Amino acid sequence: WIKSGSVKEYKYKCQLGAYANALGEMYKEKNMKVKKASILCMSTKSETPQEISCDGNELEEYKKEFETLCKEWHIKNRTNLIN
């Protein structure tokens, strides 16, 4: 079970931010805005999936957090993909 506030939950929510950013970019011409994102997580210790989700301001924060992590990675690895 993924605990609220854990590093694992943070990583999943960053992943949701990444997916929301990708969908927004793919459908930018149609002005599509992702308002909610969720992912189902399965544990080997349980047969019940756990839903991790973000919406509203929290999703916007994780979209920005993912962008920040990407920029930091590119800077650290000296790629030329950052404007």
Side-chain angles (χ1 to χ4, degrees):
W1 201 254
I2 298 163
K3 294 179 184 176
S4 180
S6 68
V7 170
K8 197 167 196 174
E9 182 192 49
Y10 166 79
K11 290 179 179 182
Y12 277 119
K13 288 189 175 189
C14 284
Q15 183 178 359
L16 292 173
Y19 292 154
N21 280 337
L23 283 170
E25 188 65 28
M26 287 172 56
Y27 294 100
K28 165 168 51 176
E29 303 90 38
K30 296 182 180 184
N31 291 324
M32 187 190 110
K33 183 161 174 75
V34 177
K35 296 180 181 177
K36 181 178 181 180
S38 64
I39 190 168
L40 292 176
C41 304
M42 293 297 296
S43 168
T44 56
K45 298 176 184 175
S46 172
E47 294 182 10
T48 305
Q50 179 182 0
E51 181 181 23
I52 305 293
S53 64
C54 295
D55 59 8
N57 290 336
E58 182 182 34
L59 180 57
E60 292 302 314
E61 288 174 24
Y62 279 101
K63 287 168 62 177
K64 290 176 187 171
E65 181 68 13
F66 182 77
E67 289 175 4
T68 299
L69 291 171
C70 285
K71 288 177 184 176
E72 289 173 356
W73 186 90
H74 285 287
I75 290 167
K76 178 182 175 188
N77 291 282
R78 297 182 179 166
T79 68
N80 293 323
L81 298 176
I82 298 299
N83 296 337

